């Protein structure tokens, strides 16, 4: 039976990479690596944005708008 | 050439086109007015289909295009003109599957199978009105950074192949139970140190028992039972 950990009200569990209210731990994962943070401290995980900015710069150099 | 001469030339051109269309319609459709219209419409549709085929053959290199980087991003295509005749099979392992539909907010259905190469980062990022991603075939090396970020309307997705890297689809809170089952049953059973992040709301809305690919699942625990090598986060 796998271990399940749940965050308290208004909080999230994280190990610095994964964030969630309920975590079903994989076999061999130590639950002490997870700790609670307030939901308000959830980081922005919109990955890839920096790369998109590069793309916009490239379009700008070509004089092309994003919607063309 | 004066404006008047231009106008006359345009009228003559129009008349020539009209005559050509009329004759073509007549020859293909017969002599009655109804038959003429049918013939013309059939001819028009055939011509339009041929034009679309030429267009898509160019975009997809007759199905052999290796790189679809930003190919259908930023609303350049919508449901009316996004009709790829071939699977979207990207083989470029660097950027081939990246950002294919980046911030396309008007396509609601991807219509064809998408076969990912190594990097599927941001592939469906910002597809805020897409409800259906047809078969999305991945491999154990395919990575998913931001792949489903802001895909908030997504209901249906079928995974092909095996998921072997961290997979986060937490923003798609309307996912069907069949879609969630498709994701979970596609998880590698040998990889370690990997995490699946699912929308808690969609998981809580699942009802049991249900059948997926001829297997009956009576509970959430039963569904995830064979994937104990994955940490599964509900966010």
């Amino acid at each position: 039976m796998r271990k399940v950990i749940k965050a308290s009200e208004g909080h999230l569990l994280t190990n610095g990479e994964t964030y969630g209210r309920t975590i079903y731990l994989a076999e061999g994962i130590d639950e002490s690596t997870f700790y609670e943070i307030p939901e308000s401290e959830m980081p922005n995980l919109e990955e890839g944005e920096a790369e998109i900015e590069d793309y916009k710069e490239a379009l700008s150099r070509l004089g092309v708008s994003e919607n063309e | 050439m004066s404006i008047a001469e231009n106008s006359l030339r345009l009228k003559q051109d129009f008349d020539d086109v009209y005559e050509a269309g009329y004759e073509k319609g007549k020859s293909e459709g017969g002599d009655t007015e109804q038959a003429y219209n049918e013939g013309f419409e059939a001819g028009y549709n055939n011509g339009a289909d041929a034009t679309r085929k030429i267009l898509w053959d160019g975009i997809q290199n007759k199905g052999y295009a290796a790189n679809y980087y930003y190919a259908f991003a930023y609303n350049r295509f919508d449901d009316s003109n996004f009709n790829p005749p071939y699977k979207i099979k990207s083989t470029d392992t660097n950027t081939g599957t990246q950002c294919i539909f980046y911030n396309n907010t008007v396509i609601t259905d991807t219509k064809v199978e998408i076969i990912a190469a190594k990097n599927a980062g941001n592939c469906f990022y910002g597809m805020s009105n897409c409800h259906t991603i047809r078969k999305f075939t991945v491999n154990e090396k395919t990575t998913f950074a931001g792949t489903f970020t802001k895909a908030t309307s997504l209901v249906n997705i079928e995974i092909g192949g095996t998921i072997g890297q961290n997979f986060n689809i937490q923003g798609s809170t309307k996912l069907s139970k069949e879609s969630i089952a498709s994701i979970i049953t596609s998880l590698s059973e040998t990889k370690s140190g990997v995490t699946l992040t699912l929308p808690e709301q969609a998981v809580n809305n699942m009802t049991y028992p249900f059948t997926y690919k001829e297997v009956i699942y009576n509970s959430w625990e039963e569904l995830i039972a064979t994937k104990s090598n994955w940490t599964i986060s509900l966010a």
Side-chain angles (χ1 to χ4, degrees), chain A residues 2 18-27 29 42 46-49 51-52 55-56 66-68, chain B residues 69-70 74 76 98-99 102 122 125 146 149-150 195 200 220 224 227-235:
Chain A
R2 74 159 78 203
T18 299
Y19 294 81
R21 293 180 188 85
T22 304
I23 310 281
Y24 292 77
L25 296 170
E27 282 177 357
I29 299 293
M42 170 83 172
E46 306 293 10
E47 299 153 286
E49 286 289 5
E51 181 184 342
I52 302 310
Y55 171 74
K56 288 177 181 175
E66 287 173 13
N67 295 315
E68 284 184 54
Chain B
Y69 190 51
Y70 285 101
Y74 294 114
R76 294 191 186 99
Q98 243 188 315
C99 303
Y102 184 83
N122 296 315
Y125 181 108
T149 300
K150 298 181 185 175
T195 300
E200 182 180 46
W220 166 251
I224 65 173
K227 311 295 180 179
S228 58
N229 54 320
W230 284 76
T231 293
I232 300 176
S233 168
L234 308 186

Side-chain angles (χ1 to χ4, degrees), chain B residues 66 90-98 115-121 136-145 147 164-166:
Chain B
S90 55
T91 53
D92 182 311
T93 55
N94 185 21
T95 59
T97 319
Q98 243 188 315
I115 302 171
K118 188 175 178 183
N119 181 353
F136 181 44
T137 298
V138 303
N139 61 67
E140 284 203 347
K141 292 181 178 176
T142 306
T143 57
F144 306 98
T147 302
Q165 307 293 325
N166 293 338

